[in-house]
Amino acid sequence: MKVLIVGGGLVGSLCACYFGLRGHEVHIYDFRNDPRTEKLSKGRSINLALSTRGIEALSRVGVEGVILEHGIPMKGRMIHSKSGEKKSIPYDPVYKKCIYSVGRKHLNELLITEAEKYQNVHLHFNHKITSVNFEEKKIFFKSADNNNSELKEDKGDLIVGADGAFSIVRREMMKQPMFNFSQTYIEHGYRELTIPPANNFKMESNHLHIWPRGEFMLIALPNQDDSWTVTLFMPLVKFDELQGKEHAIKSFFQQNFPDALQLIGDSKVIEDFSKPSHLVSIKCTKYNVGNKAVILGDSAHAMVPFYGQGMNAGFEDCRILDEFIHSEGLDLEEALELFSITRAKNAEAICNLSMYNYSEVPQKTNSGF
């Protein structure tokens, strides 16, 4: 079977590993340059929390070892009060399991490299998908850096959409009868900040640090270089209110996150405080078009990050899709239909939990102080 995967991000590259391991001919198309040749771009969340759900999916294609080797275990939450008090809350005091902090770019690079090891997996970066024809199982694309370039096409036996929250494949699916879709933007945005390695000794390692402050909060995840990636979640109107006002930004951090401000530094907070990225929750049914196409990950169920399961749910999609496609007694259409029916319900539940935690985490994680 020839599989065309649209999107070479985390889910697309892991999906390629699954199909590659099964011996299928796989072609990944991505509008970006190869991330292994690019510098880290600002604006996206660059740290992710890898949980059991994701680790299990990685283990099925034998890549969990190389991934966890570069992950940093986080055994619990470290809650910071305004007064500077701290409280550790373990994730799993009984079985001592933990989640792992992993860098998005590094993880993507590792998965692409693993996929590339299969001779039957082919990478096509700098290809912008313009449209999809499900009946003919074709994708159409141009050079990503030249919209005037010649329109080209590729034909496969299955099209997999792993091209994110604003998926081209899903956009084409929305033209199909009985396809339901909804998206919800929340009123909060986020911005990345950094605690430099020099201040690493001042932070307890192996924790996910949280500064909950009601309508806004900070979180911090550890990096391999001993720095910490800090994310500020805050109402968009508050970002607008502070934008470009250095004194107001510094005052805001002094009032709400004084210990974090000491670690980040006044000048660095002001330098990195810029327009926020938006957060959206997406739900849809169904995930497939007959035996022609299927969508995975954020293409099917983008979620806000407050439950920490977006990437993990996408990885789990790859595992479950593989199980259905290669189950005895199911043809391809039956497998995709079964995947769509069962997966959509579970993914919607995780989306709902993520939205619930949107208000729960900043409001109640500091209730013990």
Side-chain angles (χ1 to χ4, degrees):
M1 181 167 66
K2 182 179 179 181
V3 182
L4 307 179
I5 300 177
V6 181
L10 299 175
V11 174
S13 53
L14 179 60
C15 185
C17 290
Y18 270 90
F19 281 112
L21 181 63
R22 294 287 190 174
H24 300 291
E25 180 185 353
V26 183
H27 292 262
I28 301 178
Y29 287 89
D30 196 289
F31 75 95
R32 304 170 300 167
N33 293 322
D34 188 332
R36 294 171 295 183
T37 67
E38 296 291 298
K39 293 183 179 180
L40 181 66
S41 60
K42 292 185 177 181
R44 291 197 75 185
S45 177
I46 60 175
N47 275 79
L48 300 160
L50 179 63
S51 71
T52 300
R53 178 181 278 112
I55 294 170
E56 172 65 16
L58 295 171
S59 70
R60 297 294 181 91
V61 289
V63 300
E64 81 283 5
V66 68
I67 302 299
L68 292 181
E69 181 182 346
H70 295 274
I72 299 175
M74 298 184 293
K75 300 176 182 179
R77 295 172 170 175
M78 183 65 71
I79 311 301
H80 296 247
S81 72
K82 270 191 180 183
S83 63
E85 295 178 271
K86 289 177 285 187
K87 178 176 65 176
S88 175
I89 303 175
Y91 285 122
D92 185 1
V94 177
Y95 298 104
K96 309 299 182 183
K97 291 185 178 180
C98 63
I99 60 177
Y100 292 82
S101 174
V102 292
R104 178 190 296 274
K105 184 177 187 296
H106 186 64
L107 178 55
N108 198 180
E109 291 172 351
L110 287 175
L111 287 174
I112 289 172
T113 299
E114 290 297 320
E116 197 176 37
K117 291 179 180 178
Y118 297 99
Q119 293 184 352
N120 48 320
V121 174
H122 311 279
L123 307 177
H124 308 278
F125 292 103
N126 199 33
H127 285 68
K128 182 179 180 180
I129 305 302
T130 60
S131 62
V132 181
N133 185 319
F134 294 125
E135 289 304 314
E136 297 183 10
K137 298 184 179 180
K138 289 182 179 180
I139 60 172
F140 300 87
F141 53 87
K142 293 183 177 182
S143 171
D145 57 6
N146 183 5
N147 285 328
N148 296 320
S149 64
E150 179 185 356
L151 185 66
K152 298 181 181 180
E153 66 181 55
D154 197 1
K155 177 179 174 62
D157 300 300
L158 175 65
I159 298 169
V160 178
D163 49 336
F166 304 102
S167 168
I168 298 296
V169 179
R170 189 189 66 237
R171 184 190 69 186
E172 296 297 320
M173 281 188 174
M174 291 171 67
K175 301 173 184 177
Q176 301 291 314
M178 304 302 292
F179 186 92
N180 298 311
F181 167 80
S182 69
Q183 72 175 29
T184 303
Y185 279 96
I186 65 173
E187 297 178 355
H188 281 58
Y190 72 91
R191 190 64 210 170
E192 298 289 355
L193 307 166
T194 303
I195 294 174
N199 290 335
N200 176 58
F201 68 94
K202 297 179 181 178
M203 291 273 281
E204 288 81 356
S205 60
N206 303 118
H207 283 78
L208 188 158
H209 289 252
I210 305 177
W211 291 258
R213 299 295 184 264
E215 66 173 352
F216 39 79
M217 70 173 176
L218 284 179
I219 66 170
L221 280 76
N223 297 312
Q224 281 282 345
D225 66 355
D226 291 335
S227 68
W228 293 75
T229 297
V230 182
T231 307
L232 170 64
F233 295 97
M234 190 165 66
L236 295 167
V237 293
K238 187 66 175 178
F239 274 108
D240 291 340
E241 178 185 317
L242 296 176
Q243 199 65 50
K245 301 175 182 177
E246 294 185 3
H247 178 74
I249 294 170
K250 182 178 177 180
S251 177
F252 170 77
F253 275 84
Q254 286 176 333
Q255 180 180 351
N256 295 287
F257 312 109
D259 56 338
L261 180 61
Q262 290 181 358
L263 297 173
I264 300 169
D266 294 0
S267 60
K268 192 62 177 171
V269 161
I270 293 170
E271 177 187 341
D272 290 344
F273 192 96
S274 57
K275 289 184 178 181
S277 297
H278 292 74
L279 295 166
V280 64
S281 178
I282 288 175
K283 302 174 186 176
C284 64
T285 55
K286 52 189 185 171
Y287 291 173
N288 71 300
V289 178
N291 65 351
K292 302 171 180 66
V294 65
I295 51 176
L296 309 174
D298 283 355
S299 301
H301 47 70
M303 56 192 70
V304 295
F306 304 103
Y307 196 56
Q309 291 300 313
M311 171 188 68
N312 295 291
F315 284 175
E316 191 173 56
D317 286 348
C318 299
R319 176 181 66 81
I320 294 174
L321 178 65
D322 175 77
E323 291 174 356
F324 282 135
I325 288 179
H326 298 99
S327 293
E328 291 186 14
L330 293 178
D331 63 27
L332 182 58
E333 184 165 356
E334 290 171 336
L336 296 184
E337 290 284 349
L338 190 57
F339 170 79
S340 183
I341 292 170
T342 59
R343 193 62 185 146
K345 294 178 181 178
N346 292 332
E348 183 171 339
I350 299 175
C351 283
N352 291 338
L353 285 168
S354 301
M355 193 63 80
Y356 173 77
N357 268 19
Y358 164 47
S359 57
E360 185 80 0
V361 172
Q363 292 285 349
K364 296 185 178 180
T365 48
N366 62 346
S367 59
F369 283 116

